């Protein structure tokens, strides 16, 4: 037997139950990993509360983690017992042990420990596709990133600056604004005190932004569209404040022939080659020091309910992890 966080019904943090679970035999191409750390992400909340449909009931939440290979299934040739690996986009991370398809496991560079990997894979690979493939950020671009002091926000701010962009962010307190400014942002707007649309216009001399990255949703839409220059791109990749509802596509025409996309990580890492390329780009910027991973909150895995309460109350900054 091993232990995991199990969800039997949709609901609040209280539905996250720590309990024993059976260890099943490995199938061909699978490995068993003893986890050291697991990433905490808002997508975990979405599956728990029913915003996203769970793959089945009951289920074990979580999408990223890192640990050590303790068992190899048949037909696994590229990994060995004792290898340190990480992963993201695989269901069932909130567990002491996880079974992974070996094709989803990524060998960890020596310079990156398991806690850092668990804190950065989903958020960092999200930042990678947003900045390098959804919109190819570079010198001369001005970008706006909402939730600048969050897990993705802190990584994306540093990475966008590394790519040569002018980086504007929004955050919900003076402390969060200061944190974002310490992580690559040129300007951070406290949206609780200032009209971010007006400030963006002022900062850019009315030129506005090439792209807006928004993981907030309802609270920042459609005002975010007013931060875009003509033919600019609005990238919605989350909805921490709620879904964008009643969207009239004609508004994109009215506000300057704008573009809008709603990507997710799976759309950019569907093949093994894409997965490895994204991970290697992340490993490279972290090892170089261009992007620093800040773990600001750590919770025992058994206390996942407390972790979700803190996350939903916007009581976290940077990355949070669950430890085994």
């Amino acid at each position: 037997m091993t232990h995991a966080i199990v969800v039997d019904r949709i609901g609040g943090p209280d539905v996250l139950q720590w309990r024993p679970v059976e260890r099943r035999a490995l199938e061909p191409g699978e490995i068993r990993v003893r986890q050291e750390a697991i990433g905490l992400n808002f997508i975990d909340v979405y599956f728990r509360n029913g915003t996203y449909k769970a793959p089945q009931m009951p289920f074990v939440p979580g999408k990223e983690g890192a640990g050590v290979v303790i068992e190899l299934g048949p037909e696994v040739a590229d990994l060995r017992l004792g290898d340190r690996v990480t992963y993201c986009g695989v269901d069932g991370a909130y567990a002491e042990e996880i079974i992974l398809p070996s094709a989803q496991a990524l060998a960890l560079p020596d310079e990156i420990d398991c806690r850092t990997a668990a804190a950065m894979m989903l958020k960092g690979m999200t930042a990678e596709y947003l900045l390098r493939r959804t919109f190819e950020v570079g010198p001369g671009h001005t970008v706006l990133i909402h939730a600048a002091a969050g897990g993705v926000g802190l990584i994306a701010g540093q990475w966008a600056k590394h790519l040569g962009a002018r980086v504007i962010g929004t955050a919900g307190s003076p402390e969060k604004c200061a944190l974002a400014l310490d992580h690559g942002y040129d300007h951070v707007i406290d949206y609780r005190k200032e009209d971010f649309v007006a400030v963006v216009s002022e900062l850019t001399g009315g030129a506005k932004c090439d792209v807006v990255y928004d993981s907030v949703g309802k609270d920042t839409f459609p005002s975010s569209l007013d931060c875009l220059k003509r033919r600019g791109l609005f990238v919605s990749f989350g909805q921490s404040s709620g879904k964008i509802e009643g969207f009239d596509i004609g508004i994109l025409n009215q506000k300057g022939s704008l573009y809008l996309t709603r990507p997710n990580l799976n759309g950019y890492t569907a093949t093994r080659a894409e997965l490895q390329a994204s991970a290697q780009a992340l490993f490279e910027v972290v090892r170089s020091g261009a992007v620093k991973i800040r773990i600001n909150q750590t919770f025992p895995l058994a206390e996942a309910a407390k972790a979700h309460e803190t996350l939903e109350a916007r009581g976290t900054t940077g990355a949070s992890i669950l430890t085994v």
Side-chain angles (χ1 to χ4, degrees):
M1 299 287 285
T2 183
H3 288 78
I5 295 289
V6 180
V7 175
D8 289 318
R9 68 186 192 281
I10 296 302
D14 60 297
V15 304
L16 298 168
Q17 298 295 312
W18 177 245
R19 67 177 66 162
V21 293
E22 295 288 343
R23 298 174 86 241
R24 70 166 175 84
L26 298 182
E27 296 180 0
E30 292 183 333
I31 62 172
R32 193 185 312 274
V33 175
R34 183 183 67 247
Q35 303 212 89
E36 293 188 12
I38 297 112
L40 176 69
N41 297 284
F42 233 98
I43 193 172
D44 308 339
V45 173
Y46 296 155
F47 279 105
R48 190 211 73 220
N49 68 17
T51 300
Y52 294 166
K53 186 177 180 180
Q56 73 276 321
M57 279 291 184
F59 72 96
V60 176
K63 290 284 189 177
E64 68 177 339
V68 177
V69 177
I70 58 171
E71 186 179 353
L72 302 172
E75 302 175 17
V76 175
D78 55 343
L79 291 168
R80 297 175 299 177
L81 296 177
D83 282 352
R84 296 183 319 122
V85 296
T86 187
Y87 64 92
C88 74
V90 179
D91 293 326
Y94 284 24
E96 291 178 317
E97 297 176 0
I98 188 169
I99 294 175
L100 300 175
S102 61
Q104 292 293 315
L106 297 157
L108 264 178
D110 292 340
E111 303 92 333
I112 298 175
D113 60 54
C114 286
R115 288 190 173 208
T116 301
M120 78 180 195
M121 294 307 296
L122 188 63
K123 291 172 279 291
M125 290 172 70
T126 296
E128 185 278 324
Y129 83 73
L130 290 173
L131 299 172
R132 298 174 76 241
R133 291 184 282 164
T134 303
F135 182 95
E136 192 173 350
V137 171
H141 290 138
T142 299
V143 307
L144 174 64
I145 304 172
H146 288 301
V152 174
L154 291 185
I155 294 173
Q158 296 173 82
W159 205 333
K161 192 64 180 177
H162 175 64
L163 292 170
R166 183 185 187 190
V167 191
I168 302 171
T170 68
S173 70
E175 295 77 17
K176 289 184 177 182
C177 289
L179 179 61
L181 285 169
D182 194 39
H183 285 75
Y185 287 84
D186 295 293
H187 310 277
V188 184
I189 303 161
D190 187 339
Y191 65 83
R192 296 186 187 277
K193 296 180 178 179
E194 300 179 283
D195 177 350
F196 70 81
V197 175
V199 177
V200 166
S201 182
E202 179 183 351
L203 289 172
T204 61
K208 303 186 181 180
C209 301
D210 297 278
V211 58
V212 173
Y213 295 108
D214 186 6
S215 63
V216 177
K218 183 174 67 175
D219 287 355
T220 48
F221 189 85
S223 296
S224 289
L225 301 182
D226 293 321
C227 295
L228 287 166
K229 61 178 61 173
R230 183 165 52 95
R231 298 198 303 274
L233 175 64
F234 176 74
V235 183
S236 172
F237 68 101
Q239 51 200 37
S240 61
S241 69
K243 292 181 179 180
I244 295 172
E245 296 180 341
F247 171 60
D248 176 5
I249 196 170
I251 197 173
L252 301 176
N253 173 26
Q254 298 163 16
K255 292 184 179 292
S257 296
L258 303 179
Y259 296 88
L260 184 152
T261 185
R262 179 58 172 90
N264 68 16
L265 181 59
N266 290 340
Y268 288 85
T269 57
T271 69
R272 175 67 176 174
E274 290 174 335
L275 178 69
Q276 288 182 309
S278 183
Q280 289 306 316
L282 175 60
F283 293 156
E284 182 179 333
V285 293
V286 171
R287 286 189 293 185
S288 74
V291 171
K292 295 178 174 61
I293 305 301
R294 182 164 182 162
I295 301 172
N296 287 349
Q297 295 81 211
T298 300
F299 304 88
L301 176 58
E303 297 179 12
K306 179 181 177 181
H308 276 226
E309 289 173 359
T310 307
L311 182 63
E312 289 184 273
R314 299 192 181 185
T316 67
T317 58
S320 304
I321 60 170
L322 305 169
T323 56
V324 181

